[in-house]
Amino acid sequence: MDEYALEVIRSICGSLSELDENQFEQSGAVEASYRAIENDIPEIAIELLKNRNDNILLRRTDPEDSRNMFAHAVAHRQEKVARFLYDEFDEMMDTNMVTVTDEDGNNILHIAARLASHSQLDHISGAVLQLQNELHWFKSVEGIVPRFYNMKNKDGETPTQVFLREHRNLLKEAEKWMKKVAESCTVVGALVITTMFTVAFTVPGGNNEGTGFPIILNTTMTHPSEVSFATLFKVFGVSDAISLFAASSSVLMFLGILTSRYTCQDFHISLPKKLIIGLSSLFISIAAMMVAFCATLVIMLQGKKEVCILISLTLIASIPVTLFLLLQAHLLVEMYGSTFRPDIFNRRRYWKYKNDENICSCFNRRWWFTMRKRWMLVRLCALVLLYFISFIVIFINYTGNKWFN
């Protein structure tokens, strides 16, 4: 149905392109394109712009709102329309498209600094991601017109001051959510650290009282085809160390979040990046902890009669890892895509203003991540989970075959 609607729009826009300027203005297409931007239907405005490459669509005749189309797209967070105008009307970007101010003295940065409508924010889950999206818009527009960064409107406010005033409540909600998540994950990470640190000195089978050397390493197999205790102990030791180090890194990341200043700028890159690293490290620590648990089961339940019990308990041990991945994968994917996504506009303007000290820092980052590549994280998480399950299955099959022989 969307394809049919788009074909209808293209047909109408093609007919409108044959009209002269007076007929086009009287047709109501200009007002329709602005209403389409307000109602999140960017296809109408883009198709009209493709068929009318003149300046009629770029100015609005409504006396209550005299903003041009680019400012209107920025105000309503219409990325497709703003990027299309930026790419196709390159010469006008240096003149009246971005340099004009309204009756209150607000430039394009003041407009970008205002809080988006609820309909736009409702599409984004969580106060942190909403604030990050608002910062991304502000920084992207700032990269186009860095010289407007310190300009004041008639109220004596700079764009940054307008942004802080408009997003004050959203900043409080984002801070509250970030602290709550960091505190909860810190408790989980501390429990993992305590458990794995204790397990490191409580090896299966105990230690020799005289030398302190693990007794299990000197134990011989009842059958020469069985897996040696030394190999199982290595799996246990490596998994325990990985879990301990990953949990420690996770706790340090979450402590860094708790001790942050929680300024608006921190929610752009710094805090989301720490949260991504912390959650990823916590997942690795839990997965390694389950591997250590499975290795301990193999050591303690040697024998043919316990194979079925061993297989069942090992498969059950993979449930916490799967649950953690399913519950947190959505948050990680959205946070990853929102943090490392490219700039809304092209980078060609960066070379023009590369000597400007107010240039947005977002142009100095590497932009090989795109919005579509956010699903690479989903594939990575699925690959890690598949690797973990495959490791358990192969390990069980290998040891089970040894025992049954």
Side-chain angles (χ1 to χ4, degrees):
M1 189 168 60
D2 291 339
E3 294 178 357
Y4 292 151
L6 187 59
E7 290 296 329
V8 172
I9 292 173
R10 289 174 179 171
S11 177
I12 295 174
C13 293
S15 301
L16 291 173
S17 63
E18 300 175 359
L19 303 178
D20 55 25
E21 292 188 6
N22 294 330
Q23 293 176 339
F24 187 78
E25 290 180 355
Q26 295 175 1
S27 66
V30 177
E31 187 64 24
S33 62
Y34 281 83
R35 292 294 179 88
I37 293 174
E38 296 173 2
N39 292 279
D40 196 16
I41 314 176
E43 292 82 6
I44 295 178
I46 292 175
E47 290 300 326
L48 283 172
L49 289 169
K50 288 180 179 179
N51 289 274
R52 301 287 302 199
N53 55 2
D54 48 24
N55 302 335
I56 301 176
L57 280 169
L58 303 182
R59 59 180 185 270
R60 195 176 189 181
T61 57
D62 188 358
E64 297 181 357
D65 189 359
S66 58
R67 291 180 300 197
N68 56 53
M69 182 172 287
F70 183 78
H72 203 65
V74 170
H76 292 276
R77 305 298 190 264
Q78 291 299 328
E79 180 178 341
K80 294 180 180 179
V81 179
R83 187 168 57 242
F84 182 84
L85 288 170
Y86 182 81
D87 293 336
E88 299 299 327
F89 297 87
D90 181 73
E91 296 180 358
M92 298 189 65
M93 285 295 158
D94 295 327
T95 56
N96 58 344
M97 282 289 288
V98 297
T99 58
V100 294
T101 58
D102 57 15
E103 59 276 5
D104 295 325
N106 296 313
N107 57 43
I108 191 68
L109 267 183
H110 288 99
I111 297 174
R114 293 176 180 173
L115 183 65
S117 61
H118 292 289
S119 60
Q120 294 293 330
L121 294 177
D122 289 341
H123 295 295
I124 306 171
S125 59
V128 173
L129 293 176
Q130 291 175 358
L131 182 59
Q132 189 181 32
N133 184 72
E134 292 289 280
L135 282 166
H136 187 68
W137 263 98
F138 182 74
K139 292 294 183 182
S140 298
V141 177
E142 180 189 346
I144 301 176
V145 284
R147 57 186 181 275
F148 290 170
Y149 183 78
N150 295 320
M151 290 183 62
K152 296 182 180 181
N153 56 16
K154 291 184 178 180
D155 296 330
E157 291 181 320
T158 62
T160 303
Q161 293 173 340
V162 174
F163 187 91
L164 294 175
R165 174 173 53 81
E166 292 278 335
H167 297 80
R168 185 181 298 110
N169 295 330
L170 188 60
L171 178 61
K172 292 180 181 179
E173 294 178 6
E175 179 181 351
K176 182 179 178 181
W177 183 89
M178 188 68 75
K179 285 183 178 180
K180 185 177 180 180
V181 172
E183 290 173 356
S184 301
C185 294
T186 301
V187 173
V188 177
L191 290 175
V192 175
I193 292 174
T194 304
T195 303
M196 303 314 293
F197 187 82
T198 305
V199 169
F201 297 96
T202 313
V203 297
N207 299 324
N208 190 304
E209 296 181 357
T211 61
F213 197 73
I215 299 175
I216 194 174
L217 296 179
N218 296 325
T219 305
T220 57
M221 298 288 99
T222 57
H223 194 279
S225 62
E226 293 182 355
V227 181
S228 64
F229 282 113
T231 302
L232 296 174
F233 185 78
K234 289 179 181 178
V235 174
F236 166 79
V238 172
S239 302
D240 183 87
I242 292 175
S243 179
L244 181 61
F245 296 149
S248 301
S249 301
S250 175
V251 170
L252 289 176
M253 288 293 103
F254 291 123
L255 288 177
I257 293 175
L258 292 174
T259 57
S260 177
R261 300 175 300 168
Y262 293 101
T263 61
C264 270
Q265 188 63 30
D266 292 335
F267 284 94
H268 189 207
I269 298 295
S270 177
L271 290 178
K273 186 185 294 185
K274 290 179 182 178
L275 184 61
I276 293 172
I277 297 174
L279 288 175
S280 302
S281 301
L282 188 60
F283 169 76
I284 294 173
S285 66
I286 295 176
M289 182 176 64
M290 292 297 103
V291 174
F293 172 75
C294 296
T296 305
L297 285 179
V298 175
I299 294 173
M300 301 301 295
L301 301 178
Q302 289 278 5
K304 297 181 180 179
K305 297 181 180 180
E306 290 81 10
V307 172
C308 295
I309 300 176
L310 178 63
I311 294 175
S312 301
L313 293 177
T314 306
L315 292 176
I316 292 174
S318 63
I319 293 178
V321 182
T322 306
L323 287 177
F324 184 87
L325 182 62
L326 292 177
L327 294 175
Q328 303 299 331
H330 180 70
L331 175 62
L332 277 174
V333 168
E334 288 193 350
M335 191 71 69
Y336 186 86
S338 180
T339 303
F340 297 104
R341 62 177 173 173
D343 182 44
I344 295 174
F345 309 106
N346 295 337
R347 285 189 298 164
R348 57 187 176 183
R349 295 284 173 157
Y350 165 71
W351 303 109
K352 185 174 182 179
Y353 299 107
K354 62 181 179 179
N355 296 324
D356 197 313
E357 59 181 1
N358 292 325
I359 188 68
C360 175
S361 60
C362 63
F363 287 98
N364 296 327
R365 300 202 312 266
R366 297 178 180 179
W367 295 106
W368 61 81
F369 294 105
T370 62
M371 291 296 292
R372 293 182 180 178
K373 290 185 179 179
R374 65 167 57 186
W375 296 110
M376 291 180 63
L377 182 61
V378 177
R379 300 188 187 100
L380 179 61
C381 293
L383 182 63
V384 172
L385 179 62
L386 181 62
Y387 174 79
F388 178 75
I389 296 176
S390 302
F391 171 78
I392 293 176
V393 172
I394 294 173
F395 188 71
I396 290 174
N397 291 334
Y398 178 72
T399 54
N401 292 333
K402 294 292 184 180
W403 287 335
F404 283 116
N405 292 330

